[in-house]
Amino acid sequence: MEEKKTWMLAFCLFLQLLCSVSGLDRGEFPSSFLFGTSTSSYQIEGAYLEGNKSLSNWDVFTHIPGHIKDDSDGDIADDHYHLYMLLQCGFKQEDIELMHQLGVNAYRFSISWSRILPRGRFGKVNSVGITFYNRLIDALLLKGIQPFVTLNHYDVPQDLEDQYGAWLNPQIQKDFGHYADVCFKAFGKKVKYWSTLNEPNVVVILGFITGEYPPQHCSKPYGDCLSGDSNIEPYIAAHNIILAHATAVEIYKKKYQVKQGGSIGIAISARWYEPLRDIPADCLAVQRALAFDIAWFLDPVIFGEYPPEMRQVLSLRLPTFSSEDRRKLQHKLDFIGINHYTSKYVKDCIFSPCEGGKTESTAFVMSTGERNGIPIGTPTSMPDNYVFPDGMEKIIMYIMQRYNNIPMFITENGYAQGSTSNDPTTDMLNDTSRVEYLHGYLTSLTRAVRQGADVRGYFIWSLLDNFEWLYGYTQRFGLYHVNFETQERTPRLSAKWFKEFLEGPEVIERMNRDLECLRSIY
Ligand SMILES: *[C@@H]1O[C@H](CO)[C@@H](O)[C@H](O)[C@H]1NC(C)=O
Ligand SMILES: *[C@@H]1O[C@H](CO)[C@@H](O)[C@H](O)[C@H]1NC(C)=O
């Protein structure tokens, strides 16, 4: 008896310890805090030519052999478009049901521009596309899940690319405004969270400096492309993206916000940087790297100016905002979306020699994952993605301080397993590394919140394994494993972990009650 009692108490204490000492508790976040999963149209929808959708730039890009690691594309992807349509027939694997099972209260997804306006500005609004997203939104709300909608997550109607070069042409500002207007009008009564663009910094850096993403523009030494100029085009494209965002925000604030009562922001890819060496030059390099990555887009949309750290290096290569632009930029966004995965070291290249001729467009910094051969954190299957949980707290504090604690959402955070296998093997499902990653990053987020950071939500990338851009289907980010042949979804350990975390306070309370009960018995 005595032995049993001791064992029981030890077991209960262990469970308690697991929950309390870990410093991670759903109860620490307000009940209004959004906890969700994140996806994007091109990565999950499939049905790339159905419902009168037109081709996007990513449809065209992936169809050219050699562009994607496994020569795959998003033609079918997770077939979300069809599986969702099967909801009405009681299809059990339906994706909204998966989220409902997780117990999330929000879902971040993106609208495919070419489903809504197949011909960009030219041509009519596609009613099939409007119906698809309306039903999706209705189904989410029915399950108590808030739609958190991104207007543009990389995919642009190819027509705009062909007609005038998409982001390289100021015309796109007006067209993006028109597209946003159509969406606010069609969905705004039900959608309370709008994000204009996803990771414009990645779109510009990979599309116009290194040339790895469409439209594959670049010049040497940054990359090897058929056309483009890495010293000029990125600043033009960024300028148009910033003003396209401002156009959409102005339309929302003037025509819809009062009536619809929602909020609007932008989501930025936000890596953290640590100085490689403990010297002032590398600390300055960290500031430059952050400015060239994050403030490049956030300073203009919040302060109406490019960051001084960039102006100092690039001077007149950076465009200027006209008085009309400034007027548009006065409409402030309501929140900043932060996509954070990893951190790197940076080394100064102004005062120190660097390999590879690091120049203006890369802020005169060299970034690396290692210091003296030791990685900044455990490497993952995604190249350049290391596990460095402290980066979450640090990037939030940087953004909080630079932008006066504007409300923030962690719009993406997640962990990839590299695998081409469709089999939901034990190894694939027993994703303890992902659980550790999420646990570490969420704990770090909690530390930032305790210091006063106004963070209002956290979204895991991703609900499902999906089309991971240049990596195709070789990198799996999902809480649910997907067999891309049968489209079967299987929950991973991380899905169960997230569900338990979301049930948090109740679980801990229940355990406390059990403990009390056991104490009274023995
Ligand atoms: C697609 O558009 C054509 C006209 O361009 C129309 O005839 C057809 O019915 C539409 N398809 C659907 C599914 O609505
Ligand atoms: C899952 O992985 C952990 C460690 O990686 C291991 O201890 C555990 O036994 C595994 N569980 C199953 C069911 O394979």
Side-chain angles (χ1 to χ4, degrees), residues 326-395:
R326 271 173 220 282
R327 194 193 50 69
K328 233 184 238 177
L329 286 165
Q330 274 174 4
H331 299 277
K332 295 288 176 264
L333 40 66
D334 301 309
F335 65 83
I336 296 170
I338 300 170
N339 292 358
H340 178 73
Y341 292 87
T342 192
S343 301
K344 286 184 90 175
Y345 292 116
V346 293
K347 179 186 169 191
D348 165 69
C349 300
I350 295 178
F351 306 104
S352 317
C354 285
E355 287 160 40
K358 297 296 167 186
T359 51
E360 292 97 310
S361 296
T362 39
F364 290 113
V365 303
M366 191 198 76
S367 69
T368 166
E370 295 181 351
R371 177 194 273 155
N372 304 326
I374 301 163
I376 189 167
T378 311
T380 70
S381 67
M382 276 293 271
D384 267 359
N385 271 21
Y386 304 88
V387 183
F388 188 74
D390 283 354
M392 177 66 93
E393 178 187 354
K394 290 181 175 183
I395 198 72

XYZ file of all heavy atoms in Angstrom, residues 326-395:
549
model
N 2.472 59.533 -49.769
C 2.503 59.789 -48.325
C 1.101 59.899 -47.756
O 0.820 59.428 -46.658
C 3.230 61.104 -48.043
C 4.699 60.942 -47.872
C 5.345 62.322 -47.772
N 6.591 62.284 -48.513
C 7.691 61.725 -48.034
N 7.698 61.189 -46.839
N 8.791 61.706 -48.758
N 0.219 60.521 -48.535
C -1.166 60.668 -48.080
C -1.776 59.271 -47.899
O -2.434 58.978 -46.926
C -1.951 61.464 -49.129
C -3.302 61.979 -48.647
C -4.169 62.477 -49.787
N -4.271 61.517 -50.902
C -4.911 60.358 -50.853
N -5.524 60.000 -49.753
N -4.937 59.551 -51.908
N -1.505 58.408 -48.878
C -2.031 57.044 -48.823
C -1.452 56.268 -47.639
O -2.144 55.509 -46.979
C -1.614 56.331 -50.113
C -2.773 55.694 -50.851
C -2.257 54.951 -52.039
C -2.883 55.465 -53.314
N -2.324 54.798 -54.490
N -0.164 56.491 -47.393
C 0.517 55.742 -46.333
C 0.115 56.201 -44.935
O 0.499 55.586 -43.936
C 2.038 55.843 -46.511
C 2.625 55.004 -47.656
C 4.043 55.452 -47.983
C 2.623 53.524 -47.307
N -0.645 57.310 -44.876
C -1.067 57.799 -43.556
C -2.045 56.851 -42.881
O -2.178 56.865 -41.667
C -1.760 59.154 -43.699
C -0.810 60.309 -43.687
C -1.536 61.597 -43.972
O -2.754 61.626 -44.109
N -0.769 62.668 -44.061
N -2.771 56.074 -43.680
C -3.730 55.147 -43.086
C -2.945 54.013 -42.454
O -2.336 53.204 -43.145
C -4.686 54.603 -44.148
C -5.477 55.681 -44.788
N -6.617 56.192 -44.230
C -5.271 56.373 -45.925
C -7.085 57.146 -45.012
N -6.285 57.283 -46.040
N -2.966 53.989 -41.143
C -2.101 53.042 -40.443
C -2.695 51.642 -40.438
O -3.915 51.481 -40.411
C -1.904 53.513 -38.999
C -1.159 54.824 -38.899
C 0.317 54.666 -39.232
C 1.053 55.996 -39.231
N 1.189 56.594 -40.556
N -1.813 50.664 -40.451
C -2.334 49.306 -40.331
C -2.683 49.021 -38.871
O -2.255 49.722 -37.962
C -1.355 48.275 -40.892
C 0.137 48.418 -40.644
C 0.461 48.246 -39.192
C 0.876 47.407 -41.468
N -3.474 47.995 -38.659
C -3.949 47.691 -37.305
C -3.073 46.667 -36.601
O -3.086 46.566 -35.387
C -5.387 47.161 -37.364
C -6.333 48.161 -38.005
O -6.319 49.333 -37.570
O -7.059 47.801 -38.946
N -2.348 45.878 -37.374
C -1.484 44.875 -36.737
C -0.347 44.478 -37.669
O -0.404 44.699 -38.878
C -2.284 43.626 -36.333
C -2.869 42.863 -37.495
C -2.103 41.948 -38.212
C -4.197 43.049 -37.873
C -2.637 41.246 -39.282
C -4.741 42.351 -38.941
C -3.961 41.449 -39.654
N 0.678 43.883 -37.069
C 1.798 43.321 -37.837
C 1.731 41.806 -37.705
O 1.619 41.278 -36.593
C 3.148 43.829 -37.282
C 3.269 45.345 -37.453
C 4.317 43.118 -37.972
C 4.452 45.951 -36.707
N 1.782 41.114 -38.822
C 1.861 39.658 -38.807
C 3.331 39.253 -38.896
O 4.078 39.778 -39.716
N 3.741 38.350 -38.021
C 5.144 37.931 -37.965
C 5.244 36.453 -38.334
O 4.665 35.612 -37.649
C 5.710 38.149 -36.537
C 5.620 39.637 -36.152
C 7.140 37.624 -36.428
C 5.925 39.898 -34.681
N 5.946 36.159 -39.418
C 6.239 34.766 -39.759
C 7.646 34.477 -39.270
O 8.629 35.012 -39.807
C 6.181 34.535 -41.279
C 4.775 34.676 -41.832
O 3.819 34.906 -41.096
N 4.633 34.536 -43.143
N 7.763 33.683 -38.221
C 9.088 33.449 -37.647
C 9.390 31.959 -37.517
O 8.621 31.212 -36.937
C 9.200 34.121 -36.268
C 10.516 33.879 -35.606
N 11.676 34.498 -36.020
C 10.878 33.046 -34.598
C 12.695 34.060 -35.279
N 12.231 33.175 -34.414
N 10.533 31.565 -38.059
C 10.940 30.162 -38.016
C 12.310 29.952 -37.386
O 12.543 29.010 -36.677
C 10.986 29.569 -39.432
C 9.638 29.423 -40.090
C 9.068 30.469 -40.800
C 8.941 28.231 -40.013
C 7.821 30.324 -41.407
C 7.702 28.070 -40.622
C 7.138 29.121 -41.310
O 5.917 28.980 -41.905
N 13.243 30.861 -37.733
C 14.635 30.562 -37.398
C 15.490 31.815 -37.237
O 15.017 32.929 -37.456
C 15.236 29.643 -38.482
O 16.480 29.120 -38.013
C 15.456 30.395 -39.783
N 16.735 31.592 -36.866
C 17.679 32.688 -36.650
C 19.023 32.348 -37.294
O 19.327 31.177 -37.517
C 17.904 32.913 -35.153
O 16.691 33.215 -34.504
N 19.793 33.392 -37.580
C 21.128 33.166 -38.148
C 22.114 34.165 -37.531
O 21.714 35.157 -36.942
C 21.093 33.357 -39.677
C 20.415 32.214 -40.402
C 20.504 32.395 -41.902
C 21.760 31.753 -42.462
N 21.782 31.837 -43.949
N 23.401 33.870 -37.703
C 24.442 34.826 -37.320
C 24.691 35.759 -38.491
O 24.560 35.344 -39.645
C 25.757 34.100 -37.034
C 25.739 33.222 -35.808
C 25.904 31.849 -35.920
C 25.607 33.776 -34.535
C 25.916 31.033 -34.802
C 25.620 32.965 -33.410
C 25.773 31.603 -33.543
O 25.784 30.802 -32.439
N 25.041 37.000 -38.203
C 25.501 37.861 -39.282
C 26.863 38.470 -38.968
O 27.203 38.751 -37.812
C 24.517 39.001 -39.641
C 23.244 38.458 -40.243
C 24.220 39.890 -38.463
N 27.606 38.664 -40.041
C 28.953 39.219 -39.951
C 29.001 40.494 -40.788
O 28.420 40.539 -41.883
C 29.929 38.181 -40.515
C 31.366 38.619 -40.516
C 32.247 37.595 -41.215
C 33.634 38.201 -41.437
N 34.462 37.405 -42.314
N 29.664 41.492 -40.279
C 29.822 42.753 -41.001
C 30.744 42.594 -42.207
O 31.768 41.907 -42.130
C 30.424 43.801 -40.061
C 30.936 44.986 -40.830
O 30.105 45.726 -41.373
O 32.173 45.151 -40.919
N 30.389 43.226 -43.331
C 31.250 43.174 -44.521
C 31.690 44.556 -44.972
O 32.172 44.721 -46.089
C 30.523 42.480 -45.674
S 30.042 40.787 -45.331
N 31.490 45.553 -44.118
C 31.994 46.886 -44.483
C 33.433 47.022 -43.996
O 34.326 47.418 -44.737
C 31.122 48.013 -43.867
C 29.707 47.976 -44.465
C 31.770 49.383 -44.121
C 28.759 49.024 -43.896
N 33.643 46.641 -42.734
C 34.986 46.777 -42.143
C 35.777 45.474 -42.171
O 36.963 45.463 -41.918
C 34.868 47.291 -40.702
C 34.082 48.555 -40.590
C 32.773 48.553 -40.115
C 34.638 49.768 -40.997
C 32.041 49.731 -40.028
C 33.897 50.943 -40.923
C 32.604 50.931 -40.438
N 35.054 44.366 -42.443
C 35.731 43.067 -42.453
C 35.637 42.453 -43.840
O 34.654 42.672 -44.545
C 35.052 42.098 -41.482
O 34.746 42.737 -40.275
N 36.657 41.683 -44.211
C 36.564 41.003 -45.510
C 35.528 39.884 -45.452
O 35.394 39.204 -44.447
C 37.974 40.425 -45.700
C 38.550 40.321 -44.328
C 37.890 41.377 -43.494
N 34.736 39.739 -46.527
C 33.732 38.678 -46.599
C 33.881 37.939 -47.921
O 34.193 38.547 -48.938
C 32.324 39.258 -46.534
S 31.828 39.810 -44.909
N 33.593 36.678 -47.879
C 33.613 35.907 -49.132
C 32.359 36.220 -49.936
O 31.348 36.614 -49.396
C 33.603 34.400 -48.820
C 34.905 33.870 -48.273
C 34.693 32.554 -47.539
O 33.894 31.734 -48.040
O 35.308 32.378 -46.475
N 32.462 36.032 -51.236
C 31.275 36.115 -52.088
C 30.852 37.529 -52.445
O 29.755 37.728 -52.949
N 31.742 38.517 -52.181
C 31.446 39.889 -52.592
C 30.112 40.408 -52.105
O 29.267 40.817 -52.894
N 29.875 40.380 -50.800
C 28.607 40.865 -50.266
C 28.516 42.378 -50.436
O 29.400 43.103 -50.006
C 28.475 40.483 -48.789
C 28.451 38.980 -48.587
C 27.228 38.373 -49.241
C 27.364 36.867 -49.331
N 26.288 36.234 -50.083
N 27.455 42.825 -51.086
C 27.392 44.236 -51.457
C 26.121 44.916 -50.963
O 25.418 44.383 -50.125
C 27.505 44.358 -52.990
O 26.533 43.474 -53.529
C 28.872 43.990 -53.474
N 25.842 46.092 -51.546
C 24.735 46.935 -51.089
C 23.432 46.159 -50.927
O 22.774 46.246 -49.897
C 24.467 48.079 -52.068
C 25.544 49.118 -52.153
C 26.453 48.848 -53.328
O 26.914 47.693 -53.464
O 26.701 49.788 -54.097
N 23.042 45.426 -51.977
C 21.715 44.811 -51.962
C 21.584 43.786 -50.855
O 20.478 43.400 -50.497
C 21.398 44.173 -53.308
O 21.335 45.176 -54.280
N 22.697 43.314 -50.327
C 22.616 42.393 -49.200
C 23.103 43.074 -47.917
O 23.559 42.421 -46.990
C 23.413 41.102 -49.478
O 24.606 41.442 -50.164
C 22.614 40.141 -50.336
N 22.989 44.392 -47.900
C 23.225 45.172 -46.678
C 24.659 45.099 -46.162
O 24.925 45.431 -45.018
C 22.262 44.740 -45.571
N 25.597 44.677 -47.002
C 26.989 44.482 -46.567
C 27.057 43.582 -45.337
O 27.783 43.862 -44.386
C 27.672 45.826 -46.255
C 27.950 46.662 -47.471
C 27.268 47.858 -47.658
C 28.870 46.256 -48.419
C 27.517 48.641 -48.778
C 29.127 47.028 -49.537
C 28.451 48.226 -49.719
N 26.252 42.536 -45.364
C 26.366 41.550 -44.297
C 26.446 40.164 -44.905
O 25.977 39.921 -46.021
C 25.182 41.571 -43.288
C 25.005 42.926 -42.655
C 23.904 41.077 -43.926
N 27.066 39.270 -44.150
C 27.078 37.876 -44.552
C 26.374 37.117 -43.442
O 26.649 37.346 -42.259
C 28.519 37.406 -44.659
C 28.664 36.062 -45.327
S 30.280 35.361 -44.955
C 30.043 34.824 -43.280
N 25.441 36.268 -43.828
C 24.756 35.512 -42.788
C 25.184 34.058 -42.845
O 25.520 33.531 -43.913
C 23.236 35.626 -42.938
O 22.802 34.956 -44.088
N 25.215 33.434 -41.680
C 25.650 32.044 -41.600
C 24.941 31.355 -40.439
O 24.557 32.011 -39.466
C 27.188 31.952 -41.417
O 27.511 30.614 -41.029
C 27.673 32.902 -40.335
N 24.761 30.063 -40.563
C 24.093 29.319 -39.491
C 25.060 28.849 -38.412
O 24.640 28.328 -37.387
N 26.376 29.030 -38.661
C 27.351 28.454 -37.734
C 28.361 29.467 -37.223
O 28.716 30.418 -37.927
C 28.127 27.331 -38.438
C 27.258 26.157 -38.812
C 28.067 25.051 -39.473
O 29.262 25.278 -39.780
O 27.492 23.970 -39.682
N 28.819 29.228 -36.004
C 29.919 30.005 -35.436
C 30.983 28.991 -35.019
O 30.702 28.088 -34.232
C 29.417 30.784 -34.215
C 30.490 31.573 -33.498
C 29.998 32.031 -32.142
N 29.283 33.295 -32.183
C 28.382 33.657 -31.280
N 28.054 32.820 -30.306
N 27.787 34.829 -31.348
N 32.175 29.132 -35.568
C 33.272 28.169 -35.318
C 32.816 26.728 -35.500
O 33.112 25.852 -34.686
C 33.835 28.342 -33.897
C 34.307 29.756 -33.648
O 34.803 30.412 -34.571
N 34.133 30.245 -32.425
N 32.025 26.511 -36.529
C 31.586 25.151 -36.836
C 30.424 24.647 -35.994
O 29.960 23.529 -36.194
N 29.966 25.472 -35.048
C 28.844 25.033 -34.209
C 27.566 25.755 -34.648
O 27.527 26.986 -34.678
C 29.118 25.328 -32.716
C 30.391 24.593 -32.297
C 27.930 24.932 -31.833
C 30.989 25.093 -31.006
N 26.530 24.995 -35.028
C 25.301 25.639 -35.493
C 24.603 26.423 -34.386
O 24.719 26.086 -33.195
C 24.430 24.469 -35.971
C 25.016 23.253 -35.362
C 26.459 23.534 -35.099
N 23.882 27.447 -34.785
C 23.183 28.330 -33.836
C 22.103 27.563 -33.073
O 21.742 27.919 -31.960
C 22.611 29.559 -34.582
C 22.064 30.612 -33.623
C 21.525 29.156 -35.579
C 21.776 31.958 -34.270
N 21.603 26.501 -33.678
C 20.619 25.626 -33.039
C 20.605 24.323 -33.815
O 21.278 24.203 -34.845
N 19.834 23.358 -33.338
C 19.778 22.082 -34.051
C 19.314 22.317 -35.487
O 18.286 22.953 -35.701
C 18.776 21.135 -33.355
O 19.076 21.135 -31.959
C 18.856 19.742 -33.917
N 20.064 21.831 -36.469
C 19.612 21.989 -37.860
C 18.338 21.172 -38.096
O 18.078 20.203 -37.380
C 20.771 21.422 -38.689
C 21.931 21.331 -37.767
C 21.363 21.167 -36.389
N 17.519 21.588 -39.064
C 16.321 20.835 -39.421
C 16.452 20.411 -40.884
O 17.453 20.734 -41.531
C 15.053 21.691 -39.260
O 15.037 22.689 -40.278
C 14.993 22.359 -37.896
N 15.447 19.740 -41.389
C 15.551 19.275 -42.779
C 15.468 20.421 -43.781
O 15.877 20.280 -44.922
C 14.461 18.241 -43.068
O 13.203 18.863 -43.029
N 14.943 21.573 -43.362
C 14.926 22.746 -44.250
C 16.290 23.406 -44.188
O 16.728 23.793 -43.095
C 13.894 23.779 -43.776
C 12.485 23.543 -44.235
S 12.263 23.724 -46.007
C 11.904 25.474 -46.138
N 16.958 23.561 -45.341
C 18.260 24.223 -45.310
C 18.127 25.593 -44.634
O 17.131 26.282 -44.854
C 18.591 24.399 -46.797
C 17.762 23.383 -47.505
C 16.540 23.185 -46.689
N 19.113 25.940 -43.808
C 19.130 27.261 -43.174
C 18.090 27.437 -42.070
O 17.938 28.535 -41.557
C 18.912 28.376 -44.203
C 20.235 28.907 -44.716
O 21.285 28.410 -44.258
O 20.219 29.801 -45.582
N 17.347 26.411 -41.737
C 16.397 26.525 -40.625
C 16.919 25.777 -39.403
O 16.963 24.547 -39.392
C 15.022 25.963 -41.008
C 14.136 27.024 -41.645
O 14.630 28.027 -42.148
N 12.847 26.802 -41.616
N 17.330 26.556 -38.410
C 17.846 25.980 -37.171
C 16.825 26.214 -36.064
O 16.049 27.155 -36.128
C 19.170 26.654 -36.788
C 20.209 26.568 -37.873
C 20.277 27.542 -38.869
C 21.112 25.507 -37.924
C 21.225 27.455 -39.894
C 22.061 25.414 -38.930
C 22.104 26.393 -39.917
O 23.039 26.315 -40.903
N 16.851 25.344 -35.066
C 15.938 25.511 -33.931
C 16.592 26.457 -32.927
O 17.603 26.125 -32.312
C 15.638 24.152 -33.263
C 14.623 24.337 -32.135
C 15.124 23.151 -34.292
N 16.038 27.657 -32.800
C 16.597 28.676 -31.909
C 15.434 29.424 -31.265
O 15.067 30.534 -31.677
C 17.495 29.633 -32.718
C 18.269 30.618 -31.891
C 19.372 30.226 -31.147
C 17.889 31.966 -31.858
C 20.086 31.150 -30.385
C 18.601 32.901 -31.100
C 19.704 32.484 -30.368
N 14.812 28.795 -30.251
C 13.578 29.351 -29.675
C 13.704 30.788 -29.179
O 12.753 31.562 -29.299
C 13.268 28.400 -28.510
C 13.961 27.131 -28.853
C 15.188 27.519 -29.613
N 14.895 31.180 -28.639
C 15.050 32.550 -28.136
C 14.769 33.593 -29.205
O 14.407 34.734 -28.903
C 16.477 32.772 -27.612
C 16.682 32.129 -26.245
O 15.685 31.621 -25.687
O 17.827 32.131 -25.765
N 14.948 33.207 -30.487
C 14.705 34.140 -31.587
C 13.285 34.677 -31.581
O 13.046 35.823 -31.973
N 12.342 33.872 -31.121
C 10.941 34.312 -31.090
C 10.784 35.519 -30.175
O 10.251 36.553 -30.568
C 10.053 33.145 -30.637
C 8.592 33.487 -30.490
S 7.792 33.889 -32.057
C 7.121 32.306 -32.547
N 11.281 35.386 -28.953
C 11.189 36.497 -27.998
C 11.938 37.722 -28.533
O 11.437 38.845 -28.495
C 11.806 36.061 -26.655
C 11.819 37.138 -25.602
C 12.590 36.707 -24.343
O 13.014 35.527 -24.276
O 12.762 37.539 -23.446
N 13.121 37.488 -29.104
C 13.950 38.609 -29.546
C 13.329 39.363 -30.721
O 13.364 40.585 -30.767
C 15.355 38.110 -29.887
C 16.106 37.687 -28.637
C 17.507 37.217 -28.945
C 18.252 36.923 -27.642
N 19.643 36.521 -27.870
N 12.756 38.622 -31.673
C 12.174 39.300 -32.840
C 10.920 40.070 -32.423
O 10.652 41.173 -32.910
C 11.907 38.315 -34.008
C 11.733 39.086 -35.328
C 10.661 37.462 -33.803
C 12.968 39.669 -35.858
